[in-house]
Amino acid sequence: MKSNLIFYCTLWFLCIGLLDMYDVFSAGTDEVKSVSVMEGDSVTLNSDVTEIQRDDHIVWMFGPQETRIAEIHMRDIDMFDSNVTFGDRLQMDNQTGSLIIRNIRTEHTGLYKLQIISSRGTSYKRFNVTVYASLPVPVITSNSSQCSSSERSSGQNCSLLCSVVNVSHVTLSWYKGISVLSSISVSDLSINLSLPLEVEYQDKNTYRCVINNTISNNQTQSLIMDLCKQCPDYSAVFYLIYSPLLALAIFALYWKYKRTPQQGKQLGLCANTGEQAQTVVKVPIQAEPDSEKRMLDEKSSLSSDE
């Protein structure tokens, strides 16, 4: 009975020892945690320490050179030369050793390393912090200002272009309702990005151009009728301008040819009238038979009286 008790006690202490060794070795391994944050926000890198003991030594390092930016040792806080890179944005919690970065900027993107030295051993934590710049508002333009007859006869399509400038680690997408029509992604720094879309002029749907990253998005939406204005029909303008002139020309020609025959008739009438007058002048006046007989009788009576 006594030997069994000794065996179980030995086993118990052995298990406790193994657990302590596991805690030490597991704490000593590197743990990388990804943190994404928008520029201008505040972020806290947690040490996961409940309360710092007097002999604990906590050190924060930044960048590939593992430059020391903050530490707590014997409950004293030292921020080193962190003002050169971070200004007054860094703050260290004196109870837990967590690091707070206020109003973070894109240049603060990088690897942060935490080293904790305590009576239980040395442990490390790593934070891969990515700071995203504020997303710009996408700009939508169209080619409706460049009209030609060939465009009107080729299906009445309007070309839209969504553009953003100076972006990185973003995705640009066209949406129709909740459906994604097309998208393009980029991971390079400071690049201009654009995405075209072909729609019909008669399309009355609302389309959205959305730019987003892993933690934020921005968008612009527009009705096609607001951007895609059909090319004007210049033939209608031509008819509107030249139809009155054409009607006036036709009326002038009609009036001219209408007056020409009337003038001809008037000239013919005048000519006929002149001939008749001339005939009247040339015809000699002849006395009527009865008048001539009376004249002869009168001459005979006068001769007899003499």
Side-chain angles (χ1 to χ4, degrees), residues 188-222:
D188 297 333
L189 296 176
S190 301
I191 190 173
N192 298 336
L193 198 60
S194 60
L195 186 63
L197 179 67
E198 291 284 335
V199 296
E200 294 184 357
Y201 280 100
Q202 294 82 7
D203 197 336
K204 296 182 180 180
N205 291 297
T206 300
Y207 291 82
R208 294 180 297 132
C209 184
V210 180
I211 181 175
N212 69 284
N213 51 33
T214 57
I215 59 175
S216 180
N217 69 76
N218 210 340
Q219 63 179 317
T220 298
Q221 68 179 23
S222 179

PDB file of all heavy atoms in Angstrom, residues 188-222:
ATOM      1  N   ASP A 188       1.162  45.306 -55.707  1.00  0.00           N
ATOM      2  CA  ASP A 188       2.297  46.233 -55.797  1.00  0.00           C
ATOM      3  C   ASP A 188       1.997  47.517 -55.037  1.00  0.00           C
ATOM      4  O   ASP A 188       0.843  47.854 -54.771  1.00  0.00           O
ATOM      5  CB  ASP A 188       2.623  46.553 -57.256  1.00  0.00           C
ATOM      6  CG  ASP A 188       3.056  45.318 -58.024  1.00  0.00           C
ATOM      7  OD1 ASP A 188       3.584  44.384 -57.388  1.00  0.00           O
ATOM      8  OD2 ASP A 188       2.864  45.291 -59.243  1.00  0.00           O
ATOM      9  N   LEU A 189       3.052  48.232 -54.726  1.00  0.00           N
ATOM     10  CA  LEU A 189       2.897  49.486 -54.005  1.00  0.00           C
ATOM     11  C   LEU A 189       2.697  50.643 -54.971  1.00  0.00           C
ATOM     12  O   LEU A 189       3.341  50.721 -56.014  1.00  0.00           O
ATOM     13  CB  LEU A 189       4.125  49.761 -53.130  1.00  0.00           C
ATOM     14  CG  LEU A 189       4.381  48.768 -51.988  1.00  0.00           C
ATOM     15  CD1 LEU A 189       5.678  49.116 -51.275  1.00  0.00           C
ATOM     16  CD2 LEU A 189       3.227  48.771 -51.006  1.00  0.00           C
ATOM     17  N   SER A 190       1.769  51.539 -54.610  1.00  0.00           N
ATOM     18  CA  SER A 190       1.554  52.792 -55.345  1.00  0.00           C
ATOM     19  C   SER A 190       1.402  52.559 -56.840  1.00  0.00           C
ATOM     20  O   SER A 190       2.273  52.921 -57.642  1.00  0.00           O
ATOM     21  CB  SER A 190       2.713  53.761 -55.074  1.00  0.00           C
ATOM     22  OG  SER A 190       2.832  54.035 -53.702  1.00  0.00           O
ATOM     23  N   ILE A 191       0.317  51.954 -57.220  1.00  0.00           N
ATOM     24  CA  ILE A 191       0.047  51.681 -58.620  1.00  0.00           C
ATOM     25  C   ILE A 191      -1.325  52.235 -58.981  1.00  0.00           C
ATOM     26  O   ILE A 191      -2.220  52.317 -58.141  1.00  0.00           O
ATOM     27  CB  ILE A 191       0.106  50.161 -58.906  1.00  0.00           C
ATOM     28  CG1 ILE A 191       0.070  49.893 -60.405  1.00  0.00           C
ATOM     29  CG2 ILE A 191      -1.023  49.435 -58.213  1.00  0.00           C
ATOM     30  CD1 ILE A 191       0.291  48.440 -60.765  1.00  0.00           C
ATOM     31  N   ASN A 192      -1.470  52.677 -60.242  1.00  0.00           N
ATOM     32  CA  ASN A 192      -2.767  53.109 -60.752  1.00  0.00           C
ATOM     33  C   ASN A 192      -3.494  51.918 -61.348  1.00  0.00           C
ATOM     34  O   ASN A 192      -2.905  51.128 -62.081  1.00  0.00           O
ATOM     35  CB  ASN A 192      -2.600  54.205 -61.804  1.00  0.00           C
ATOM     36  CG  ASN A 192      -1.944  55.449 -61.232  1.00  0.00           C
ATOM     37  OD1 ASN A 192      -1.997  55.698 -60.033  1.00  0.00           O
ATOM     38  ND2 ASN A 192      -1.322  56.236 -62.077  1.00  0.00           N
ATOM     39  N   LEU A 193      -4.776  51.821 -61.050  1.00  0.00           N
ATOM     40  CA  LEU A 193      -5.541  50.637 -61.441  1.00  0.00           C
ATOM     41  C   LEU A 193      -6.821  51.081 -62.137  1.00  0.00           C
ATOM     42  O   LEU A 193      -7.469  52.056 -61.732  1.00  0.00           O
ATOM     43  CB  LEU A 193      -5.883  49.822 -60.193  1.00  0.00           C
ATOM     44  CG  LEU A 193      -6.289  48.363 -60.382  1.00  0.00           C
ATOM     45  CD1 LEU A 193      -5.181  47.572 -61.039  1.00  0.00           C
ATOM     46  CD2 LEU A 193      -6.640  47.748 -59.033  1.00  0.00           C
ATOM     47  N   SER A 194      -7.195  50.368 -63.208  1.00  0.00           N
ATOM     48  CA  SER A 194      -8.431  50.680 -63.924  1.00  0.00           C
ATOM     49  C   SER A 194      -9.060  49.382 -64.423  1.00  0.00           C
ATOM     50  O   SER A 194      -8.373  48.402 -64.690  1.00  0.00           O
ATOM     51  CB  SER A 194      -8.171  51.628 -65.096  1.00  0.00           C
ATOM     52  OG  SER A 194      -7.271  51.037 -66.019  1.00  0.00           O
ATOM     53  N   LEU A 195     -10.391  49.424 -64.563  1.00  0.00           N
ATOM     54  CA  LEU A 195     -11.151  48.241 -64.978  1.00  0.00           C
ATOM     55  C   LEU A 195     -12.287  48.686 -65.904  1.00  0.00           C
ATOM     56  O   LEU A 195     -13.150  49.470 -65.501  1.00  0.00           O
ATOM     57  CB  LEU A 195     -11.724  47.522 -63.753  1.00  0.00           C
ATOM     58  CG  LEU A 195     -12.421  46.180 -63.998  1.00  0.00           C
ATOM     59  CD1 LEU A 195     -11.439  45.155 -64.551  1.00  0.00           C
ATOM     60  CD2 LEU A 195     -13.033  45.662 -62.693  1.00  0.00           C
ATOM     61  N   PRO A 196     -12.303  48.198 -67.186  1.00  0.00           N
ATOM     62  CA  PRO A 196     -13.342  48.615 -68.131  1.00  0.00           C
ATOM     63  C   PRO A 196     -14.608  47.771 -68.010  1.00  0.00           C
ATOM     64  O   PRO A 196     -14.598  46.666 -67.469  1.00  0.00           O
ATOM     65  CB  PRO A 196     -12.665  48.415 -69.489  1.00  0.00           C
ATOM     66  CG  PRO A 196     -11.727  47.260 -69.258  1.00  0.00           C
ATOM     67  CD  PRO A 196     -11.257  47.376 -67.823  1.00  0.00           C
ATOM     68  N   LEU A 197     -15.699  48.304 -68.564  1.00  0.00           N
ATOM     69  CA  LEU A 197     -16.973  47.587 -68.607  1.00  0.00           C
ATOM     70  C   LEU A 197     -17.764  48.079 -69.811  1.00  0.00           C
ATOM     71  O   LEU A 197     -17.862  49.286 -70.046  1.00  0.00           O
ATOM     72  CB  LEU A 197     -17.769  47.828 -67.322  1.00  0.00           C
ATOM     73  CG  LEU A 197     -19.145  47.149 -67.252  1.00  0.00           C
ATOM     74  CD1 LEU A 197     -18.983  45.642 -67.194  1.00  0.00           C
ATOM     75  CD2 LEU A 197     -19.931  47.656 -66.045  1.00  0.00           C
ATOM     76  N   GLU A 198     -18.326  47.124 -70.579  1.00  0.00           N
ATOM     77  CA  GLU A 198     -19.145  47.443 -71.741  1.00  0.00           C
ATOM     78  C   GLU A 198     -20.623  47.218 -71.388  1.00  0.00           C
ATOM     79  O   GLU A 198     -20.994  46.144 -70.930  1.00  0.00           O
ATOM     80  CB  GLU A 198     -18.770  46.551 -72.935  1.00  0.00           C
ATOM     81  CG  GLU A 198     -17.391  46.847 -73.511  1.00  0.00           C
ATOM     82  CD  GLU A 198     -17.372  48.099 -74.352  1.00  0.00           C
ATOM     83  OE1 GLU A 198     -18.457  48.467 -74.871  1.00  0.00           O
ATOM     84  OE2 GLU A 198     -16.306  48.708 -74.496  1.00  0.00           O
ATOM     85  N   VAL A 199     -21.445  48.243 -71.605  1.00  0.00           N
ATOM     86  CA  VAL A 199     -22.880  48.143 -71.354  1.00  0.00           C
ATOM     87  C   VAL A 199     -23.636  48.746 -72.532  1.00  0.00           C
ATOM     88  O   VAL A 199     -23.057  49.452 -73.359  1.00  0.00           O
ATOM     89  CB  VAL A 199     -23.278  48.866 -70.050  1.00  0.00           C
ATOM     90  CG1 VAL A 199     -22.640  48.219 -68.847  1.00  0.00           C
ATOM     91  CG2 VAL A 199     -22.892  50.334 -70.122  1.00  0.00           C
ATOM     92  N   GLU A 200     -24.929  48.482 -72.589  1.00  0.00           N
ATOM     93  CA  GLU A 200     -25.765  49.052 -73.629  1.00  0.00           C
ATOM     94  C   GLU A 200     -26.314  50.404 -73.182  1.00  0.00           C
ATOM     95  O   GLU A 200     -26.550  50.628 -71.998  1.00  0.00           O
ATOM     96  CB  GLU A 200     -26.922  48.109 -73.964  1.00  0.00           C
ATOM     97  CG  GLU A 200     -26.486  46.803 -74.600  1.00  0.00           C
ATOM     98  CD  GLU A 200     -27.667  45.934 -74.998  1.00  0.00           C
ATOM     99  OE1 GLU A 200     -28.813  46.355 -74.705  1.00  0.00           O
ATOM    100  OE2 GLU A 200     -27.446  44.879 -75.603  1.00  0.00           O
ATOM    101  N   TYR A 201     -26.508  51.292 -74.163  1.00  0.00           N
ATOM    102  CA  TYR A 201     -27.027  52.611 -73.855  1.00  0.00           C
ATOM    103  C   TYR A 201     -28.425  52.534 -73.229  1.00  0.00           C
ATOM    104  O   TYR A 201     -28.779  53.349 -72.385  1.00  0.00           O
ATOM    105  CB  TYR A 201     -27.092  53.463 -75.126  1.00  0.00           C
ATOM    106  CG  TYR A 201     -25.764  54.054 -75.518  1.00  0.00           C
ATOM    107  CD1 TYR A 201     -24.998  53.479 -76.520  1.00  0.00           C
ATOM    108  CD2 TYR A 201     -25.275  55.188 -74.889  1.00  0.00           C
ATOM    109  CE1 TYR A 201     -23.782  54.017 -76.890  1.00  0.00           C
ATOM    110  CE2 TYR A 201     -24.057  55.736 -75.244  1.00  0.00           C
ATOM    111  CZ  TYR A 201     -23.314  55.153 -76.253  1.00  0.00           C
ATOM    112  OH  TYR A 201     -22.108  55.690 -76.607  1.00  0.00           O
ATOM    113  N   GLN A 202     -29.205  51.553 -73.656  1.00  0.00           N
ATOM    114  CA  GLN A 202     -30.571  51.445 -73.167  1.00  0.00           C
ATOM    115  C   GLN A 202     -30.660  50.775 -71.797  1.00  0.00           C
ATOM    116  O   GLN A 202     -31.750  50.653 -71.233  1.00  0.00           O
ATOM    117  CB  GLN A 202     -31.432  50.661 -74.167  1.00  0.00           C
ATOM    118  CG  GLN A 202     -31.629  51.363 -75.493  1.00  0.00           C
ATOM    119  CD  GLN A 202     -30.439  51.160 -76.427  1.00  0.00           C
ATOM    120  OE1 GLN A 202     -29.534  50.381 -76.109  1.00  0.00           O
ATOM    121  NE2 GLN A 202     -30.428  51.852 -77.551  1.00  0.00           N
ATOM    122  N   ASP A 203     -29.526  50.320 -71.256  1.00  0.00           N
ATOM    123  CA  ASP A 203     -29.518  49.627 -69.973  1.00  0.00           C
ATOM    124  C   ASP A 203     -29.861  50.604 -68.848  1.00  0.00           C
ATOM    125  O   ASP A 203     -29.227  51.649 -68.702  1.00  0.00           O
ATOM    126  CB  ASP A 203     -28.134  49.016 -69.721  1.00  0.00           C
ATOM    127  CG  ASP A 203     -28.161  47.960 -68.631  1.00  0.00           C
ATOM    128  OD1 ASP A 203     -29.081  48.017 -67.792  1.00  0.00           O
ATOM    129  OD2 ASP A 203     -27.287  47.088 -68.626  1.00  0.00           O
ATOM    130  N   LYS A 204     -30.873  50.263 -68.054  1.00  0.00           N
ATOM    131  CA  LYS A 204     -31.314  51.135 -66.970  1.00  0.00           C
ATOM    132  C   LYS A 204     -30.915  50.602 -65.604  1.00  0.00           C
ATOM    133  O   LYS A 204     -31.405  51.083 -64.575  1.00  0.00           O
ATOM    134  CB  LYS A 204     -32.837  51.321 -67.033  1.00  0.00           C
ATOM    135  CG  LYS A 204     -33.301  52.039 -68.292  1.00  0.00           C
ATOM    136  CD  LYS A 204     -34.810  52.239 -68.279  1.00  0.00           C
ATOM    137  CE  LYS A 204     -35.252  52.954 -69.556  1.00  0.00           C
ATOM    138  NZ  LYS A 204     -36.725  53.164 -69.572  1.00  0.00           N
ATOM    139  N   ASN A 205     -30.032  49.610 -65.548  1.00  0.00           N
ATOM    140  CA  ASN A 205     -29.582  49.050 -64.275  1.00  0.00           C
ATOM    141  C   ASN A 205     -28.563  49.969 -63.611  1.00  0.00           C
ATOM    142  O   ASN A 205     -27.955  50.824 -64.250  1.00  0.00           O
ATOM    143  CB  ASN A 205     -28.966  47.666 -64.496  1.00  0.00           C
ATOM    144  CG  ASN A 205     -30.003  46.641 -64.890  1.00  0.00           C
ATOM    145  OD1 ASN A 205     -30.913  46.334 -64.135  1.00  0.00           O
ATOM    146  ND2 ASN A 205     -29.882  46.118 -66.103  1.00  0.00           N
ATOM    147  N   THR A 206     -28.383  49.755 -62.327  1.00  0.00           N
ATOM    148  CA  THR A 206     -27.376  50.489 -61.557  1.00  0.00           C
ATOM    149  C   THR A 206     -26.140  49.613 -61.402  1.00  0.00           C
ATOM    150  O   THR A 206     -26.232  48.465 -60.977  1.00  0.00           O
ATOM    151  CB  THR A 206     -27.917  50.865 -60.169  1.00  0.00           C
ATOM    152  OG1 THR A 206     -29.064  51.696 -60.327  1.00  0.00           O
ATOM    153  CG2 THR A 206     -26.865  51.627 -59.368  1.00  0.00           C
ATOM    154  N   TYR A 207     -24.989  50.167 -61.739  1.00  0.00           N
ATOM    155  CA  TYR A 207     -23.723  49.446 -61.639  1.00  0.00           C
ATOM    156  C   TYR A 207     -22.852  50.112 -60.572  1.00  0.00           C
ATOM    157  O   TYR A 207     -22.877  51.336 -60.405  1.00  0.00           O
ATOM    158  CB  TYR A 207     -22.996  49.441 -62.983  1.00  0.00           C
ATOM    159  CG  TYR A 207     -23.676  48.595 -64.033  1.00  0.00           C
ATOM    160  CD1 TYR A 207     -24.758  49.082 -64.768  1.00  0.00           C
ATOM    161  CD2 TYR A 207     -23.255  47.292 -64.288  1.00  0.00           C
ATOM    162  CE1 TYR A 207     -25.390  48.306 -65.722  1.00  0.00           C
ATOM    163  CE2 TYR A 207     -23.878  46.512 -65.238  1.00  0.00           C
ATOM    164  CZ  TYR A 207     -24.940  47.023 -65.953  1.00  0.00           C
ATOM    165  OH  TYR A 207     -25.568  46.249 -66.898  1.00  0.00           O
ATOM    166  N   ARG A 208     -22.080  49.270 -59.861  1.00  0.00           N
ATOM    167  CA  ARG A 208     -21.204  49.769 -58.802  1.00  0.00           C
ATOM    168  C   ARG A 208     -19.761  49.364 -59.089  1.00  0.00           C
ATOM    169  O   ARG A 208     -19.495  48.237 -59.500  1.00  0.00           O
ATOM    170  CB  ARG A 208     -21.614  49.219 -57.440  1.00  0.00           C
ATOM    171  CG  ARG A 208     -22.961  49.673 -56.945  1.00  0.00           C
ATOM    172  CD  ARG A 208     -23.270  49.079 -55.577  1.00  0.00           C
ATOM    173  NE  ARG A 208     -23.355  47.622 -55.609  1.00  0.00           N
ATOM    174  CZ  ARG A 208     -22.745  46.817 -54.757  1.00  0.00           C
ATOM    175  NH1 ARG A 208     -21.954  47.307 -53.822  1.00  0.00           N
ATOM    176  NH2 ARG A 208     -22.894  45.511 -54.846  1.00  0.00           N
ATOM    177  N   CYS A 209     -18.869  50.293 -58.846  1.00  0.00           N
ATOM    178  CA  CYS A 209     -17.439  49.988 -58.894  1.00  0.00           C
ATOM    179  C   CYS A 209     -16.925  50.032 -57.458  1.00  0.00           C
ATOM    180  O   CYS A 209     -17.053  51.060 -56.775  1.00  0.00           O
ATOM    181  CB  CYS A 209     -16.695  50.989 -59.772  1.00  0.00           C
ATOM    182  SG  CYS A 209     -14.936  50.587 -59.940  1.00  0.00           S
ATOM    183  N   VAL A 210     -16.364  48.920 -56.997  1.00  0.00           N
ATOM    184  CA  VAL A 210     -15.983  48.771 -55.583  1.00  0.00           C
ATOM    185  C   VAL A 210     -14.491  48.487 -55.483  1.00  0.00           C
ATOM    186  O   VAL A 210     -13.959  47.629 -56.189  1.00  0.00           O
ATOM    187  CB  VAL A 210     -16.777  47.629 -54.913  1.00  0.00           C
ATOM    188  CG1 VAL A 210     -16.374  47.480 -53.452  1.00  0.00           C
ATOM    189  CG2 VAL A 210     -18.275  47.886 -55.031  1.00  0.00           C
ATOM    190  N   ILE A 211     -13.828  49.213 -54.597  1.00  0.00           N
ATOM    191  CA  ILE A 211     -12.431  48.922 -54.253  1.00  0.00           C
ATOM    192  C   ILE A 211     -12.404  48.438 -52.805  1.00  0.00           C
ATOM    193  O   ILE A 211     -13.066  49.009 -51.941  1.00  0.00           O
ATOM    194  CB  ILE A 211     -11.524  50.163 -54.441  1.00  0.00           C
ATOM    195  CG1 ILE A 211     -10.077  49.808 -54.104  1.00  0.00           C
ATOM    196  CG2 ILE A 211     -12.014  51.346 -53.635  1.00  0.00           C
ATOM    197  CD1 ILE A 211      -9.096  50.935 -54.388  1.00  0.00           C
ATOM    198  N   ASN A 212     -11.680  47.364 -52.563  1.00  0.00           N
ATOM    199  CA  ASN A 212     -11.651  46.827 -51.205  1.00  0.00           C
ATOM    200  C   ASN A 212     -10.319  46.140 -50.927  1.00  0.00           C
ATOM    201  O   ASN A 212      -9.589  45.744 -51.835  1.00  0.00           O
ATOM    202  CB  ASN A 212     -12.803  45.834 -50.990  1.00  0.00           C
ATOM    203  CG  ASN A 212     -12.622  44.558 -51.778  1.00  0.00           C
ATOM    204  OD1 ASN A 212     -12.839  44.533 -52.988  1.00  0.00           O
ATOM    205  ND2 ASN A 212     -12.222  43.493 -51.105  1.00  0.00           N
ATOM    206  N   ASN A 213     -10.024  46.042 -49.637  1.00  0.00           N
ATOM    207  CA  ASN A 213      -8.912  45.216 -49.161  1.00  0.00           C
ATOM    208  C   ASN A 213      -9.469  44.284 -48.095  1.00  0.00           C
ATOM    209  O   ASN A 213     -10.685  44.107 -48.009  1.00  0.00           O
ATOM    210  CB  ASN A 213      -7.757  46.091 -48.641  1.00  0.00           C
ATOM    211  CG  ASN A 213      -8.225  47.133 -47.638  1.00  0.00           C
ATOM    212  OD1 ASN A 213      -9.159  46.908 -46.879  1.00  0.00           O
ATOM    213  ND2 ASN A 213      -7.582  48.301 -47.641  1.00  0.00           N
ATOM    214  N   THR A 214      -8.620  43.719 -47.291  1.00  0.00           N
ATOM    215  CA  THR A 214      -9.084  42.697 -46.352  1.00  0.00           C
ATOM    216  C   THR A 214      -9.934  43.261 -45.224  1.00  0.00           C
ATOM    217  O   THR A 214     -10.676  42.510 -44.576  1.00  0.00           O
ATOM    218  CB  THR A 214      -7.885  41.959 -45.739  1.00  0.00           C
ATOM    219  OG1 THR A 214      -7.027  42.913 -45.105  1.00  0.00           O
ATOM    220  CG2 THR A 214      -7.108  41.212 -46.813  1.00  0.00           C
ATOM    221  N   ILE A 215      -9.877  44.561 -44.974  1.00  0.00           N
ATOM    222  CA  ILE A 215     -10.598  45.100 -43.814  1.00  0.00           C
ATOM    223  C   ILE A 215     -11.498  46.277 -44.154  1.00  0.00           C
ATOM    224  O   ILE A 215     -12.192  46.788 -43.282  1.00  0.00           O
ATOM    225  CB  ILE A 215      -9.610  45.535 -42.705  1.00  0.00           C
ATOM    226  CG1 ILE A 215      -8.641  46.593 -43.241  1.00  0.00           C
ATOM    227  CG2 ILE A 215      -8.859  44.363 -42.151  1.00  0.00           C
ATOM    228  CD1 ILE A 215      -7.716  47.142 -42.171  1.00  0.00           C
ATOM    229  N   SER A 216     -11.502  46.731 -45.379  1.00  0.00           N
ATOM    230  CA  SER A 216     -12.311  47.897 -45.698  1.00  0.00           C
ATOM    231  C   SER A 216     -12.690  47.877 -47.171  1.00  0.00           C
ATOM    232  O   SER A 216     -12.121  47.120 -47.973  1.00  0.00           O
ATOM    233  CB  SER A 216     -11.556  49.190 -45.357  1.00  0.00           C
ATOM    234  OG  SER A 216     -12.330  50.323 -45.673  1.00  0.00           O
ATOM    235  N   ASN A 217     -13.652  48.732 -47.531  1.00  0.00           N
ATOM    236  CA  ASN A 217     -14.028  48.892 -48.935  1.00  0.00           C
ATOM    237  C   ASN A 217     -14.566  50.294 -49.166  1.00  0.00           C
ATOM    238  O   ASN A 217     -14.968  50.986 -48.228  1.00  0.00           O
ATOM    239  CB  ASN A 217     -15.052  47.836 -49.369  1.00  0.00           C
ATOM    240  CG  ASN A 217     -16.404  48.038 -48.726  1.00  0.00           C
ATOM    241  OD1 ASN A 217     -17.171  48.913 -49.106  1.00  0.00           O
ATOM    242  ND2 ASN A 217     -16.702  47.208 -47.717  1.00  0.00           N
ATOM    243  N   ASN A 218     -14.553  50.689 -50.411  1.00  0.00           N
ATOM    244  CA  ASN A 218     -15.115  51.964 -50.828  1.00  0.00           C
ATOM    245  C   ASN A 218     -15.723  51.754 -52.201  1.00  0.00           C
ATOM    246  O   ASN A 218     -15.253  50.901 -52.964  1.00  0.00           O
ATOM    247  CB  ASN A 218     -14.044  53.058 -50.863  1.00  0.00           C
ATOM    248  CG  ASN A 218     -14.631  54.437 -50.573  1.00  0.00           C
ATOM    249  OD1 ASN A 218     -15.827  54.648 -50.711  1.00  0.00           O
ATOM    250  ND2 ASN A 218     -13.788  55.361 -50.179  1.00  0.00           N
ATOM    251  N   GLN A 219     -16.748  52.532 -52.544  1.00  0.00           N
ATOM    252  CA  GLN A 219     -17.433  52.257 -53.791  1.00  0.00           C
ATOM    253  C   GLN A 219     -18.031  53.516 -54.389  1.00  0.00           C
ATOM    254  O   GLN A 219     -18.241  54.519 -53.702  1.00  0.00           O
ATOM    255  CB  GLN A 219     -18.530  51.212 -53.591  1.00  0.00           C
ATOM    256  CG  GLN A 219     -19.638  51.653 -52.645  1.00  0.00           C
ATOM    257  CD  GLN A 219     -20.708  50.590 -52.492  1.00  0.00           C
ATOM    258  OE1 GLN A 219     -21.131  49.982 -53.451  1.00  0.00           O
ATOM    259  NE2 GLN A 219     -21.147  50.360 -51.257  1.00  0.00           N
ATOM    260  N   THR A 220     -18.278  53.430 -55.690  1.00  0.00           N
ATOM    261  CA  THR A 220     -18.999  54.454 -56.434  1.00  0.00           C
ATOM    262  C   THR A 220     -20.031  53.751 -57.287  1.00  0.00           C
ATOM    263  O   THR A 220     -19.731  52.744 -57.924  1.00  0.00           O
ATOM    264  CB  THR A 220     -18.051  55.266 -57.337  1.00  0.00           C
ATOM    265  OG1 THR A 220     -17.088  55.937 -56.514  1.00  0.00           O
ATOM    266  CG2 THR A 220     -18.826  56.307 -58.132  1.00  0.00           C
ATOM    267  N   GLN A 221     -21.260  54.263 -57.289  1.00  0.00           N
ATOM    268  CA  GLN A 221     -22.285  53.660 -58.125  1.00  0.00           C
ATOM    269  C   GLN A 221     -22.886  54.725 -59.033  1.00  0.00           C
ATOM    270  O   GLN A 221     -22.864  55.915 -58.730  1.00  0.00           O
ATOM    271  CB  GLN A 221     -23.373  53.000 -57.288  1.00  0.00           C
ATOM    272  CG  GLN A 221     -24.255  53.958 -56.489  1.00  0.00           C
ATOM    273  CD  GLN A 221     -25.314  53.202 -55.727  1.00  0.00           C
ATOM    274  OE1 GLN A 221     -25.192  52.037 -55.429  1.00  0.00           O
ATOM    275  NE2 GLN A 221     -26.406  53.878 -55.406  1.00  0.00           N
ATOM    276  N   SER A 222     -23.403  54.268 -60.170  1.00  0.00           N
ATOM    277  CA  SER A 222     -23.947  55.204 -61.140  1.00  0.00           C
ATOM    278  C   SER A 222     -24.973  54.518 -62.013  1.00  0.00           C
ATOM    279  O   SER A 222     -24.889  53.324 -62.302  1.00  0.00           O
ATOM    280  CB  SER A 222     -22.829  55.776 -62.013  1.00  0.00           C
ATOM    281  OG  SER A 222     -23.350  56.661 -62.979  1.00  0.00           O
TER     282      SER A 222
END
